[in-house]
Amino acid sequence: MAPPKAQRASDFFRQGRRDKTRPEQDGGGSHSPTPASDQESDTEALQPPPGDISLSEAKMAAMLQELRSSMKEDLQLAVNDIRREVHEVGTRLNALEEQTDDLCQANDGILDKIRQMESEQARLTAKLADLEDRSCRNNIRVRGVPESVAGPDIPGYLQQLFTAIQPNLEPADLRLDRAHRVPKPTTLARDIPRDIVTRLHYFSAKDAILTAQRKSTAMPPGYEKISLFADLSPMTMARRRDFINVTRSPTVGDSPRNC
């Protein structure tokens, strides 16, 4: 008994579907190419619908806008931090400049005070040296007197020496207020006798003796090793040493003095 018509039709369609889904094999039969309409339908199936494209663009624009806003906020925060730091640095710099100006003014004031004090010190030192020289203006420093002449023998020895240098002086003019030896500097040898400092009562007699000594070419006999010097303050002696090439004379020495 033959199958019904509906069954034969269903078998036919199933057979056709099996033929279409059977994969090609080497040496197998050929199959007809896919129509262009089928390819276009596949392409259209892959493309999103127009509504989806508009939605993606809007979402992308929103994301970009959000990124732009986030970057702008971050940059603004960074700029604000930099501005704050620059302002703080500027404030500290201004404070330092003000302190530096104050220090400079204070330093200038200190320098002015130092200059003033130095000038005052120089004036007082010169005044003190002048007073010291004036107080010792009648003094004569005698160098080379043997150590055997000591104590009470010194005034008589000096009066004889001064009479030999300046015979025109009367014995009353050779009045001595005092005469004594002074300590010897440690730099001198032991065999060198200590200096003697004497103070004459009359300045005119002291000046006459030094003038005669300055003009004479040699000391009187018996006193060849004796030298006479003006008894000056250390500051005056230092100034004389500065001009030693101009002011040096046989009667002026550079020995230390003791008034």
Side-chain angles (χ1 to χ4, degrees):
M1 184 175 177
K5 185 184 294 185
Q7 184 176 2
R8 288 198 303 269
S10 60
D11 294 338
F12 175 77
F13 284 112
R14 280 197 297 270
Q15 182 68 29
R17 282 196 297 270
R18 282 197 299 269
D19 294 338
K20 289 180 179 180
T21 57
R22 185 178 57 187
E24 295 183 359
Q25 298 180 358
D26 294 339
S30 61
H31 62 278
S32 61
T34 304
S37 60
D38 294 341
Q39 295 179 358
E40 292 178 359
S41 62
D42 295 338
T43 304
E44 291 178 357
L46 294 175
Q47 293 180 353
D52 294 341
I53 295 176
S54 301
L55 183 60
S56 300
E57 291 178 355
K59 186 180 296 184
M60 184 65 68
M63 293 175 62
L64 291 175
Q65 183 64 27
E66 183 179 358
L67 179 61
R68 187 183 297 110
S69 301
S70 178
M71 293 178 63
K72 185 176 180 181
E73 292 177 358
D74 294 341
L75 291 175
Q76 188 65 34
L77 291 175
V79 170
N80 292 336
D81 292 340
I82 294 173
R83 287 178 179 175
R84 183 174 61 257
E85 292 179 359
V86 170
H87 179 71
E88 292 176 356
V89 172
T91 303
R92 292 196 297 267
L93 182 60
N94 292 334
L96 290 175
E97 289 179 352
E98 292 177 358
Q99 293 178 2
T100 302
D101 293 339
D102 295 339
L103 291 176
C104 290
Q105 293 178 1
N107 186 55
D108 293 340
I110 292 173
L111 291 177
D112 294 339
K113 288 291 185 180
I114 291 175
R115 296 189 188 97
Q116 182 179 358
M117 294 178 65
E118 288 178 347
S119 177
E120 186 69 14
Q121 180 186 6
R123 187 185 70 82
L124 292 176
T125 304
K127 186 67 175 178
L128 180 62
D130 181 68
L131 292 174
E132 190 173 0
D133 290 336
R134 288 179 182 275
S135 65
C136 299
R137 66 193 301 265
N138 288 12
N139 291 3
I140 294 179
R141 180 179 290 268
V142 184
R143 180 171 297 170
V145 179
E147 289 287 345
S148 59
V149 180
D153 300 334
I154 293 178
Y157 183 89
L158 294 179
Q159 288 177 346
Q160 294 177 5
L161 172 63
F162 296 155
T163 300
I165 295 174
Q166 181 54 272
N168 296 329
L169 292 175
E170 297 293 335
D173 297 333
L174 296 177
R175 177 182 174 182
L176 303 180
D177 293 338
R178 64 175 182 270
H180 59 85
R181 290 188 183 271
V182 296
K184 182 173 60 176
T186 58
T187 56
L188 296 181
R190 291 185 176 182
D191 57 345
I192 298 178
R194 293 172 295 169
D195 292 350
I196 296 176
V197 174
T198 182
R199 178 181 176 84
L200 282 79
H201 187 75
Y202 299 106
F203 174 77
S204 58
K206 174 253 185 180
D207 187 62
I209 293 171
L210 290 181
T211 301
Q213 165 67 14
R214 187 180 301 110
K215 292 181 179 180
S216 64
T217 57
M219 293 292 290
Y223 302 102
E224 291 83 358
K225 297 182 179 180
I226 305 299
S227 301
L228 303 182
F229 302 90
D231 190 30
L232 302 174
S233 65
M235 183 175 181
T236 303
M237 296 301 298
R239 289 183 176 180
R240 285 202 172 194
R241 282 192 291 270
D242 294 338
F243 299 95
I244 192 171
N245 295 329
V246 180
T247 61
R248 188 174 182 85
S249 67
T251 60
V252 177
D254 297 333
S255 62
R257 43 87 55 205
N258 286 309
C259 189

